[in-house]
Amino acid sequence: MSTLWEKITRDCKLITLPDVYIRLKAIIDTPEYRLDDVADTIRSDPALTTRVLKLINSPYFGLASKIETVFRAVSLLGTQQIHDLTLATSISESLHEPSDSAFDMQDYWRRSIFCGLVAQGIARRMGLIDSERLFVCGLLYDLGHLIMHQSIPEQTQQALQRSQQHSQPLVEVERELIGLDYARVGATLMRQWSFPLCLIETTEFHTEPLRAKHHPAETAMVHIAAMVSDTMMGNGELGEGLNTPHPAALQKTGLDLATCRSIAEEVEPGIEYILHTIYPLKKAS
Protein backbone atom coordinates (compact mmCIF):
# COMPACT_ATOMS: atom_id res chain seq x y z
CA MET A 1 0.00 0.00 0.00
CA SER A 2 2.86 2.34 0.79
CA THR A 3 4.01 1.92 -2.81
CA LEU A 4 0.67 3.30 -4.02
CA TRP A 5 1.00 6.29 -1.71
CA GLU A 6 4.52 6.91 -2.94
CA LYS A 7 3.30 6.77 -6.53
CA ILE A 8 0.52 9.27 -5.86
CA THR A 9 2.75 11.70 -3.99
CA ARG A 10 5.34 11.43 -6.75
CA ASP A 11 2.70 12.16 -9.37
CA CYS A 12 1.43 15.09 -7.29
CA LYS A 13 4.89 16.66 -7.35
CA LEU A 14 4.75 16.69 -11.14
CA ILE A 15 1.62 18.87 -11.16
CA THR A 16 2.24 22.60 -11.19
CA LEU A 17 -0.07 25.58 -11.20
CA PRO A 18 0.10 28.15 -14.03
CA ASP A 19 2.80 30.81 -13.73
CA VAL A 20 0.21 33.59 -13.70
CA TYR A 21 -1.34 32.21 -10.52
CA ILE A 22 2.06 31.82 -8.87
CA ARG A 23 2.92 35.43 -9.73
CA LEU A 24 -0.43 36.64 -8.42
CA LYS A 25 -0.01 34.80 -5.13
CA ALA A 26 3.50 36.22 -4.72
CA ILE A 27 2.16 39.75 -5.18
CA ILE A 28 -0.69 39.29 -2.71
CA ASP A 29 1.70 37.79 -0.17
CA THR A 30 3.88 40.91 -0.42
CA PRO A 31 3.16 43.63 2.17
CA GLU A 32 1.78 46.87 0.74
CA TYR A 33 1.11 45.47 -2.73
CA ARG A 34 -0.82 47.66 -5.18
CA LEU A 35 -4.15 46.84 -6.80
CA ASP A 36 -2.62 47.87 -10.12
CA ASP A 37 -0.08 45.07 -9.78
CA VAL A 38 -2.82 42.51 -9.10
CA ALA A 39 -4.84 43.66 -12.11
CA ASP A 40 -1.78 43.79 -14.38
CA THR A 41 -0.87 40.21 -13.48
CA ILE A 42 -4.30 38.90 -14.41
CA ARG A 43 -4.39 40.98 -17.59
CA SER A 44 -1.08 39.41 -18.66
CA ASP A 45 -3.02 36.22 -19.39
CA PRO A 46 -5.87 36.95 -21.85
CA ALA A 47 -7.54 33.58 -21.35
CA LEU A 48 -7.51 33.97 -17.58
CA THR A 49 -8.83 37.53 -17.90
CA THR A 50 -11.76 36.30 -19.97
CA ARG A 51 -12.63 33.50 -17.57
CA VAL A 52 -12.34 35.65 -14.44
CA LEU A 53 -14.54 38.42 -15.87
CA LYS A 54 -17.05 35.88 -17.15
CA LEU A 55 -17.20 34.21 -13.75
CA ILE A 56 -17.54 37.53 -11.93
CA ASN A 57 -20.48 38.45 -14.17
CA SER A 58 -22.14 35.07 -13.73
CA PRO A 59 -25.21 34.29 -11.58
CA TYR A 60 -22.70 33.01 -9.00
CA PHE A 61 -22.08 36.61 -7.91
CA GLY A 62 -25.40 38.15 -8.87
CA LEU A 63 -23.96 41.66 -9.20
CA ALA A 64 -26.33 44.46 -10.19
CA SER A 65 -24.11 45.87 -12.95
CA LYS A 66 -21.66 44.29 -15.37
CA ILE A 67 -17.94 44.45 -14.55
CA GLU A 68 -15.93 45.05 -17.71
CA THR A 69 -12.37 45.58 -16.45
CA VAL A 70 -10.05 43.56 -14.25
CA PHE A 71 -9.12 46.61 -12.19
CA ARG A 72 -12.79 47.27 -11.48
CA ALA A 73 -13.19 43.65 -10.43
CA VAL A 74 -10.22 43.87 -8.07
CA SER A 75 -11.43 47.18 -6.62
CA LEU A 76 -14.97 45.93 -6.07
CA LEU A 77 -14.40 42.37 -4.91
CA GLY A 78 -11.04 42.63 -3.15
CA THR A 79 -7.84 40.72 -3.70
CA GLN A 80 -8.83 37.64 -1.69
CA GLN A 81 -11.83 36.93 -3.86
CA ILE A 82 -9.83 37.66 -7.00
CA HIS A 83 -7.19 35.24 -5.73
CA ASP A 84 -9.82 32.56 -5.14
CA LEU A 85 -11.41 33.04 -8.57
CA THR A 86 -8.01 32.92 -10.26
CA LEU A 87 -7.24 29.75 -8.33
CA ALA A 88 -10.53 28.18 -9.37
CA THR A 89 -9.95 28.92 -13.03
CA SER A 90 -6.30 27.82 -12.85
CA ILE A 91 -6.97 24.39 -11.39
CA SER A 92 -8.60 23.03 -14.54
CA GLU A 93 -5.59 24.16 -16.57
CA SER A 94 -3.23 22.15 -14.37
CA LEU A 95 -5.22 18.93 -14.05
CA HIS A 96 -5.85 17.08 -17.27
CA GLU A 97 -8.49 14.47 -17.94
CA PRO A 98 -7.45 11.02 -16.70
CA SER A 99 -7.04 8.22 -19.23
CA ASP A 100 -9.39 6.15 -17.05
CA SER A 101 -12.32 5.43 -19.39
CA ALA A 102 -14.73 5.23 -16.45
CA PHE A 103 -13.99 8.82 -15.45
CA ASP A 104 -16.14 11.63 -16.85
CA MET A 105 -14.26 14.93 -16.52
CA GLN A 106 -17.25 17.10 -17.33
CA ASP A 107 -19.41 15.28 -14.78
CA TYR A 108 -16.61 15.69 -12.24
CA TRP A 109 -16.53 19.48 -12.67
CA ARG A 110 -20.33 19.73 -12.76
CA ARG A 111 -20.59 17.95 -9.41
CA SER A 112 -17.73 19.99 -7.95
CA ILE A 113 -19.32 23.27 -9.07
CA PHE A 114 -22.64 22.16 -7.60
CA CYS A 115 -20.88 21.50 -4.29
CA GLY A 116 -19.18 24.90 -4.43
CA LEU A 117 -22.43 26.74 -5.10
CA VAL A 118 -24.24 24.87 -2.32
CA ALA A 119 -21.40 25.59 0.12
CA GLN A 120 -21.57 29.25 -0.81
CA GLY A 121 -25.37 29.19 -0.47
CA ILE A 122 -25.06 27.72 3.02
CA ALA A 123 -22.54 30.41 3.97
CA ARG A 124 -24.88 33.11 2.72
CA ARG A 125 -27.78 31.57 4.63
CA MET A 126 -25.58 31.75 7.75
CA GLY A 127 -24.86 35.42 7.08
CA LEU A 128 -21.12 35.14 6.40
CA ILE A 129 -19.70 38.29 4.81
CA ASP A 130 -17.05 36.44 2.79
CA SER A 131 -19.33 33.63 1.64
CA GLU A 132 -17.69 33.53 -1.81
CA ARG A 133 -14.61 31.78 -0.45
CA LEU A 134 -16.78 28.77 0.38
CA PHE A 135 -17.37 28.35 -3.35
CA VAL A 136 -13.71 27.47 -3.86
CA CYS A 137 -13.68 25.23 -0.76
CA GLY A 138 -16.61 23.28 -2.17
CA LEU A 139 -15.28 23.33 -5.71
CA LEU A 140 -12.06 21.57 -4.69
CA TYR A 141 -13.41 19.11 -2.13
CA ASP A 142 -13.02 16.14 -4.51
CA LEU A 143 -9.61 17.11 -5.91
CA GLY A 144 -8.09 13.88 -4.57
CA HIS A 145 -10.23 11.67 -6.79
CA LEU A 146 -9.03 13.48 -9.89
CA ILE A 147 -5.46 12.67 -8.88
CA MET A 148 -6.29 9.08 -8.01
CA HIS A 149 -8.05 8.44 -11.32
CA GLN A 150 -4.91 9.71 -13.02
CA SER A 151 -2.41 7.85 -10.88
CA ILE A 152 -4.08 4.59 -9.76
CA PRO A 153 -7.27 4.29 -11.87
CA GLU A 154 -7.88 0.54 -11.41
CA GLN A 155 -7.73 0.63 -7.62
CA THR A 156 -9.80 3.82 -7.49
CA GLN A 157 -12.55 2.37 -9.65
CA GLN A 158 -12.52 -0.88 -7.70
CA ALA A 159 -13.01 1.04 -4.43
CA LEU A 160 -15.94 2.97 -5.90
CA GLN A 161 -17.65 -0.21 -7.10
CA ARG A 162 -17.19 -1.93 -3.76
CA SER A 163 -18.55 1.12 -1.92
CA GLN A 164 -21.67 1.09 -4.08
CA GLN A 165 -22.18 -2.66 -3.86
CA HIS A 166 -21.85 -2.85 -0.07
CA SER A 167 -23.28 0.60 0.81
CA GLN A 168 -20.08 1.41 2.66
CA PRO A 169 -18.58 4.92 2.91
CA LEU A 170 -16.13 5.42 0.07
CA VAL A 171 -13.35 6.77 2.28
CA GLU A 172 -13.53 3.63 4.42
CA VAL A 173 -13.33 1.36 1.39
CA GLU A 174 -10.41 3.33 -0.04
CA ARG A 175 -8.52 3.06 3.24
CA GLU A 176 -9.15 -0.69 3.43
CA LEU A 177 -8.43 -1.44 -0.22
CA ILE A 178 -5.78 1.13 -1.12
CA GLY A 179 -4.40 2.29 2.22
CA LEU A 180 -5.33 5.94 1.64
CA ASP A 181 -8.37 8.05 0.75
CA TYR A 182 -9.23 10.82 -1.67
CA ALA A 183 -9.60 13.48 1.03
CA ARG A 184 -6.04 12.90 2.21
CA VAL A 185 -4.73 12.88 -1.37
CA GLY A 186 -6.41 16.21 -2.16
CA ALA A 187 -5.07 17.82 1.01
CA THR A 188 -1.57 16.55 0.23
CA LEU A 189 -1.60 18.26 -3.16
CA MET A 190 -2.92 21.45 -1.58
CA ARG A 191 -0.10 21.48 0.94
CA GLN A 192 2.39 21.07 -1.89
CA TRP A 193 0.85 24.14 -3.55
CA SER A 194 0.89 26.09 -0.23
CA PHE A 195 -2.86 26.61 -0.28
CA PRO A 196 -4.61 28.40 2.60
CA LEU A 197 -5.31 26.26 5.66
CA CYS A 198 -9.06 26.67 5.21
CA LEU A 199 -8.92 24.96 1.80
CA ILE A 200 -6.69 22.20 3.11
CA GLU A 201 -8.83 21.47 6.15
CA THR A 202 -12.19 21.52 4.38
CA THR A 203 -10.79 19.10 1.81
CA GLU A 204 -9.07 16.76 4.24
CA PHE A 205 -11.86 16.56 6.81
CA HIS A 206 -15.10 17.13 4.90
CA THR A 207 -15.90 13.42 5.27
CA GLU A 208 -15.20 13.60 9.02
CA PRO A 209 -16.16 17.16 10.02
CA LEU A 210 -15.50 16.65 13.73
CA ARG A 211 -11.77 16.35 12.98
CA ALA A 212 -11.51 19.95 11.76
CA LYS A 213 -9.72 22.04 14.39
CA HIS A 214 -9.12 25.43 12.76
CA HIS A 215 -12.10 25.79 10.41
CA PRO A 216 -14.88 23.58 11.80
CA ALA A 217 -17.76 25.73 10.49
CA GLU A 218 -16.40 25.83 6.93
CA THR A 219 -15.70 22.10 7.03
CA ALA A 220 -19.25 21.43 8.19
CA MET A 221 -20.57 23.49 5.27
CA VAL A 222 -18.51 21.56 2.71
CA HIS A 223 -19.48 18.26 4.36
CA ILE A 224 -23.15 19.07 3.87
CA ALA A 225 -22.66 20.60 0.41
CA ALA A 226 -20.80 17.55 -0.88
CA MET A 227 -23.60 15.27 0.26
CA VAL A 228 -26.33 17.55 -1.09
CA SER A 229 -24.72 17.94 -4.52
CA ASP A 230 -24.08 14.20 -4.79
CA THR A 231 -27.68 13.30 -4.05
CA MET A 232 -29.13 16.08 -6.22
CA MET A 233 -27.19 14.61 -9.14
CA GLY A 234 -28.96 11.30 -8.73
CA ASN A 235 -26.91 9.37 -6.17
CA GLY A 236 -29.57 8.40 -3.65
CA GLU A 237 -31.77 10.51 -1.39
CA LEU A 238 -30.55 13.11 1.08
CA GLY A 239 -31.09 11.92 4.63
CA GLU A 240 -31.14 8.22 3.78
CA GLY A 241 -28.36 5.77 4.67
CA LEU A 242 -24.90 7.02 3.77
CA ASN A 243 -26.44 10.26 2.46
CA THR A 244 -27.24 11.52 5.94
CA PRO A 245 -25.18 14.57 7.00
CA HIS A 246 -23.43 14.34 10.35
CA PRO A 247 -25.74 15.73 13.07
CA ALA A 248 -22.91 17.93 14.37
CA ALA A 249 -22.51 19.54 10.93
CA LEU A 250 -26.22 20.33 10.75
CA GLN A 251 -26.08 21.73 14.26
CA LYS A 252 -23.00 23.83 13.45
CA THR A 253 -24.74 25.41 10.44
CA GLY A 254 -28.23 25.51 11.92
CA LEU A 255 -29.67 23.81 8.83
CA ASP A 256 -32.21 21.07 8.34
CA LEU A 257 -32.54 18.76 5.33
CA ALA A 258 -35.39 20.75 3.79
CA THR A 259 -33.29 23.92 3.84
CA CYS A 260 -30.36 22.06 2.28
CA ARG A 261 -32.58 20.91 -0.59
CA SER A 262 -33.93 24.43 -0.99
CA ILE A 263 -30.42 25.88 -1.30
CA ALA A 264 -29.52 23.26 -3.91
CA GLU A 265 -32.59 24.10 -5.96
CA GLU A 266 -31.74 27.80 -5.80
CA VAL A 267 -28.18 27.43 -7.10
CA GLU A 268 -28.74 24.66 -9.64
CA PRO A 269 -29.59 27.02 -12.58
CA GLY A 270 -26.09 28.57 -12.42
CA ILE A 271 -24.16 25.32 -12.74
CA GLU A 272 -23.89 25.03 -16.53
CA TYR A 273 -22.80 28.65 -16.98
CA ILE A 274 -19.98 28.26 -14.49
CA LEU A 275 -19.08 24.82 -15.84
CA HIS A 276 -18.24 26.27 -19.25
CA THR A 277 -16.30 29.10 -17.60
CA ILE A 278 -14.08 27.00 -15.35
CA TYR A 279 -14.00 24.00 -17.68
CA PRO A 280 -14.06 25.51 -21.20
CA LEU A 281 -16.16 23.97 -23.96
CA LYS A 282 -13.07 23.09 -25.98
CA LYS A 283 -12.20 20.64 -23.20
CA ALA A 284 -15.72 19.48 -22.58
CA SER A 285 -16.37 18.54 -26.20
Side-chain angles (χ1 to χ4, degrees):
M1 298 304 177
S2 61
T3 302
L4 293 179
W5 178 247
E6 290 168 1
K7 174 173 173 48
I8 289 176
T9 53
R10 183 172 61 250
D11 291 346
C12 283
K13 291 178 181 178
L14 298 177
I15 303 172
T16 59
L17 287 168
D19 289 341
V20 63
Y21 171 76
I22 295 173
R23 294 199 308 271
L24 176 64
K25 188 175 185 303
I27 290 172
I28 294 176
D29 289 343
T30 301
E32 301 180 0
Y33 61 84
R34 299 185 308 129
L35 294 185
D36 280 334
D37 294 333
V38 175
D40 288 343
T41 301
I42 295 176
R43 282 196 295 261
S44 70
D45 187 319
L48 176 61
T49 298
T50 299
R51 289 198 302 274
V52 169
L53 288 177
K54 188 175 181 182
L55 189 56
I56 288 172
N57 287 297
S58 73
Y60 155 60
F61 272 102
L63 299 176
S65 58
K66 185 176 181 179
I67 297 179
E68 298 182 345
T69 68
V70 173
F71 184 81
R72 172 65 174 160
V74 174
S75 301
L76 182 63
L77 300 178
T79 53
Q80 185 58 53
Q81 288 191 36
I82 290 296
H83 165 275
D84 290 348
L85 291 177
T86 303
L87 173 60
T89 58
S90 295
I91 290 292
S92 65
E93 293 297 307
S94 301
L95 301 173
H96 303 292
E97 184 166 5
S99 57
D100 182 0
S101 60
F103 187 84
D104 187 327
M105 190 72 150
Q106 191 173 21
D107 183 66
Y108 166 85
W109 281 115
R110 182 178 286 108
R111 182 162 38 83
S112 297
I113 290 167
F114 202 164
C115 180
L117 289 173
V118 173
Q120 181 200 17
I122 292 173
R124 284 178 173 172
R125 193 66 62 97
M126 293 176 64
L128 296 186
I129 297 176
D130 56 347
S131 60
E132 286 77 13
R133 69 190 174 108
L134 265 298
F135 171 74
V136 180
C137 290
L139 178 73
L140 302 181
Y141 86 102
D142 199 25
L143 184 63
H145 270 143
L146 188 51
I147 305 303
M148 291 171 67
H149 276 282
Q150 290 176 332
S151 187
I152 52 170
E154 293 182 6
Q155 296 89 336
T156 303
Q157 189 62 27
Q158 184 179 355
L160 177 60
Q161 292 172 350
R162 183 180 296 186
S163 171
Q164 295 171 340
Q165 291 170 356
H166 298 281
S167 297
Q168 185 179 359
L170 182 55
V171 288
E172 293 183 5
V173 176
E174 289 177 344
R175 290 168 185 169
E176 294 172 3
L177 187 64
I178 308 175
L180 49 88
D181 64 81
Y182 76 95
R184 180 186 175 193
V185 172
T188 297
L189 182 58
M190 289 182 173
R191 288 191 178 94
Q192 175 189 314
W193 284 340
S194 299
F195 276 11
L197 180 59
C198 183
L199 281 174
I200 296 173
E201 194 162 71
T202 55
T203 297
E204 187 164 20
F205 300 131
H206 75 272
T207 61
E208 303 166 300
L210 292 182
R211 295 183 61 192
K213 303 300 181 183
H214 302 284
H215 298 279
E218 292 88 344
T219 304
M221 293 180 218
V222 175
H223 167 78
I224 295 171
M227 205 163 288
V228 170
S229 60
D230 201 39
T231 55
M232 291 292 285
M233 290 190 65
N235 296 318
E237 294 294 329
L238 186 65
E240 297 183 2
L242 299 179
N243 297 321
T244 304
H246 197 291
L250 292 173
Q251 183 178 18
K252 176 70 73 173
T253 59
L255 300 177
D256 55 27
L257 296 183
T259 303
C260 293
R261 295 189 190 95
S262 175
I263 292 173
E265 291 169 357
E266 290 174 5
V267 304
E268 190 171 10
I271 293 175
E272 293 303 315
Y273 184 97
I274 299 175
L275 172 65
H276 298 310
T277 302
I278 292 178
Y279 184 61
L281 281 171
K282 65 179 182 179
K283 290 187 175 184
S285 60

